[in-house]
Amino acid sequence: MPVIASDIFVHRDALGAGAYGLLFPVGDAAALRAALEHATRHLQEMRAMASKGRDDLMAAYGAKPFWAKMAAQISEIQNARGA
């Protein structure tokens, strides 16, 4: 889902500093309007940004990296115990 968000640190972080969606300055209605107009004119670009964001976030925080980290930690514990 394409995203347009106010430019606060949590949105900036979640949107990869604008790589995964559009950011506009807090309280700037004209900038929000411009972002909305851009998004409606460039819907495919917005969808591509959102898709890249989803893929990058899943690679960093999804099930595969979670279980890989969990398996590594279990292996470390087993090695420490001599198992």
Side-chain angles (χ1 to χ4, degrees):
M1 176 67 60
V3 176
I4 299 172
S6 57
D7 192 0
I8 61 174
F9 75 94
V10 294
H11 296 160
R12 177 170 283 283
D13 188 46
L15 293 177
Y20 309 140
L22 300 179
L23 297 163
F24 66 93
V26 174
D28 188 338
L32 172 57
R33 178 182 176 161
L36 289 166
E37 289 173 349
H38 176 88
T40 58
R41 285 192 312 272
H42 301 95
L43 188 54
Q44 287 305 105
E45 173 190 334
M46 293 295 297
R47 287 181 175 152
M49 291 169 73
S51 180
K52 172 123 175 66
R54 181 195 63 233
D55 293 346
D56 288 355
L57 290 172
M58 287 301 292
Y61 303 110
K64 286 183 181 181
F66 170 82
W67 288 112
K69 185 176 179 180
M70 179 70 75
Q73 289 174 341
I74 290 170
S75 181
E76 286 178 28
I77 292 168
Q78 288 173 335
N79 289 338
R81 292 183 178 174

